Amino acid sequence: MDRPLALHPVDTQLSRDRLQRPLRELRLSVIDRCNFRCTYCMPLGSMKGKGSFLPLEKLLTDHEIINLVKAFVGLGVHKLRITGGEPLIRPGLPALLEQLAEIPGLNDIALTTNGVMLDRLADDLAKAGLGRLTVSLDTLDPDILGTISGGKADLQEVLTGIAAAERAGFERIKINTVVQKGVNDHTVLDLLAHFRGSGHPVRLIEFMDVGNSNHWNPADVVPNAEWVERINARWPIESLVSTNPAETARRYRYLDGAGEIGLISSISQPFCGGCTRARITADGILYTCLFSNRGTNLMPLIRHSDGPGQVQQKIHDVWAARTDRYSEERGDGRHDESKVEMYRMGG
Ligand code: SAM
Ligand code: SF4
Ligand code: SF4
């Protein structure tokens, strides 16, 4: 049953984890389903038929999401990223965004999408108050894109989606590119050439060992330092100084003024020290690290507690106990338990 919001005041100074990192960002998965089957996320065959995805009645309702986000904002969160699965598949997403955009204190709402539904939805998303958009696109080679997406992605549909988002008024659309050695690395410079001068920064993401089904192998990772050299040799770049310790990407700008790129180097240059992100799955499980194998199910409190203040206190307690720094500890043998898949956790 929907409940009125009556949050307990919580001293936001106390919403710091055991490594003194404040809780500032929330990544919210609104659905775990997807119309792609990317090899690094949800490979074909890894979904074992019925029961693989959450039944729709298990998803947080819009009202529950609004109350939950308000609870996070009360603890210090000011940035929200909507993700999934493919978030645009969630029925009625623009109406949810409209309500999220009205939450006082939430000053940055972004969304990550594979782009194919933007042609239909970009206008509605812009009108609903979505601030920023990230589109995932790994290559401009249609065959390679088809292979990476499990035969589901059509390059023209993604490009049409990006064009629709531009027409709807989105600027600086971030382009997320996961680079895998021997798969799409030889097409990266073409992709950069395409987006140079467009105003949309491409972010090269090192292939990560999220979940267990993508058969991650360190040999498949291209360390981002290699890109700095290769890109600089083609189009001279310079590093941009960041004032935000929570920024995941190291930013560079083309010296000829053709824009920016970002390098997200979770494998070769981990950034756990500045990690201020919590994650919520579409069915209300709280995770404090992308590589967690255990989360805290908030749903019983969300649906059955005496009031939302209890949910807020629980989030606060979980965050206060947080010690996660998986990427800095990767390979030390401490993390051999099964991890949650990216499409469940929300990237
Ligand atoms: N479906 C949407 C999309 O693909 O943009 C949103 C969810 S997806 C899980 C979020 C981001 O995670 C995407 O940019 C995707 O490329 C990235 N991602 C997924 N699996 C990854 C992996 N193993 N390593 C690095 N990035 C990954
Ligand atoms: Fe779907 Fe995004 Fe995962 Fe690809 S990365 S399978 S588009 S959720
Ligand atoms: Fe944050 Fe975990 Fe990634 Fe480190 S490994 S940056 S703690 S999500």
Side-chain angles (χ1 to χ4, degrees):
M1 201 183 87
D2 288 348
R3 295 166 189 278
L5 185 74
L7 296 175
H8 296 308
V10 174
D11 182 352
T12 56
Q13 293 303 311
L14 295 179
S15 288
R16 286 183 175 265
D17 69 11
R18 302 252 303 263
L19 303 175
Q20 292 306 310
R21 297 168 296 190
L23 172 53
R24 302 296 280 154
E25 299 168 47
L26 176 63
R27 298 206 172 182
L28 175 75
S29 170
V30 290
I31 196 158
D32 59 345
R33 291 162 199 248
C34 189
N35 41 7
F36 284 14
R37 291 290 181 273
C38 300
T39 51
Y40 47 68
C41 175
M42 195 193 290
L44 278 171
S46 64
M47 310 305 299
K48 298 177 187 68
K50 220 176 160 202
S52 297
F53 293 111
L54 293 167
L56 292 185
E57 68 272 13
K58 284 211 165 182
L59 302 187
L60 292 164
T61 65
D62 286 6
H63 183 80
E64 288 166 346
I65 287 176
I66 300 300
N67 278 352
L68 194 55
V69 172
K70 284 181 180 171
F72 273 99
V73 170
L75 293 166
V77 163
H78 65 120
K79 279 174 86 167
L80 174 69
R81 178 166 294 275
I82 305 291
T83 179
E86 174 47 43
L88 300 190
I89 285 181
R90 181 178 170 111
L93 185 72
L96 171 62
L97 283 167
E98 212 169 299
Q99 296 177 72
L100 287 168
E102 283 169 10
I103 296 178
L106 191 62
N107 46 34
D108 183 8
I109 305 181
L111 179 142
T112 307
T113 171
N114 63 31
V116 291
M117 291 173 75
L118 280 175
D119 190 27
R120 188 150 57 80
L121 286 174
D123 262 337
D124 292 346
L125 297 175
K127 282 184 195 132
L130 177 67
R132 297 187 296 118
L133 201 55
T134 298
V135 177
S136 302
L137 177 60
D138 297 330
T139 179
L140 290 177
D141 182 309
D143 295 332
I144 298 174
L145 187 65
T147 305
I148 292 174
S149 63
K152 307 289 184 186
D154 178 307
L155 176 66
Q156 277 317 315
E157 282 180 5
V158 181
L159 295 177
T160 302
I162 293 171
E166 287 170 338
R167 283 196 304 278
F170 289 101
E171 293 171 359
R172 271 185 72 82
I173 300 167
K174 288 179 183 162
I175 308 295
N176 270 5
T177 303
V178 178
V179 181
Q180 296 176 84
K181 193 176 275 181
V183 176
N184 64 335
D185 55 339
H186 58 293
T187 67
V188 163
L189 291 184
D190 287 347
L191 183 88
L192 294 179
H194 177 88
F195 286 105
R196 271 169 47 83
S198 68
H200 308 319
V202 174
R203 289 134 45 97
L204 303 181
I205 304 176
E206 290 177 347
F207 175 31
M208 293 187 284
D209 51 335
V210 193
N212 303 292
S213 59
N214 64 13
H215 306 295
W216 184 81
N217 183 331
D220 299 333
V221 178
V222 182
N224 270 337
E226 284 186 23
W227 289 116
V228 176
E229 282 182 30
R230 288 174 66 179
I231 297 165
N232 192 49
R234 174 95 172 256
W235 306 287
I237 50 175
E238 71 176 3
S239 162
L240 291 169
V241 179
S242 172
T243 50
N244 177 8
E247 200 160 47
T248 52
R250 288 178 187 221
R251 289 161 50 219
Y252 294 80
R253 76 172 195 95
Y254 295 112
L255 290 184
D256 64 5
E260 273 186 32
I261 54 169
L263 301 180
I264 301 180
S265 317
S266 170
I267 307 294
S268 64
Q269 291 173 305
F271 36 79
C272 300
C275 182
T276 57
R277 288 178 293 284
R279 294 179 152 85
I280 289 281
T281 64
D283 58 343
I285 301 177
L286 167 65
Y287 289 99
T288 54
C289 177
L290 179 57
F291 301 92
S292 295
N293 43 35
R294 266 186 297 277
T296 303
N297 187 2
L298 298 178
M299 200 57 121
L301 282 178
I302 292 169
R303 293 214 167 146
H304 306 296
S305 68
D306 289 338
Q310 281 182 269
V311 180
Q312 192 180 52
Q313 188 63 51
K314 184 73 185 172
I315 299 165
H316 172 73
D317 293 346
V318 170
W319 190 263
R322 176 187 193 238
T323 56
D324 303 289
R325 42 193 289 272
Y326 175 90
S327 286
E328 292 179 351
E329 297 170 339
R330 180 180 280 113
D332 69 0
R334 270 191 276 178
H335 298 277
D336 50 3
E337 293 173 68
S338 62
K339 292 167 278 164
V340 179
E341 298 298 332
M342 180 79 125
Y343 64 87
R344 282 276 291 140
M345 171 89 75

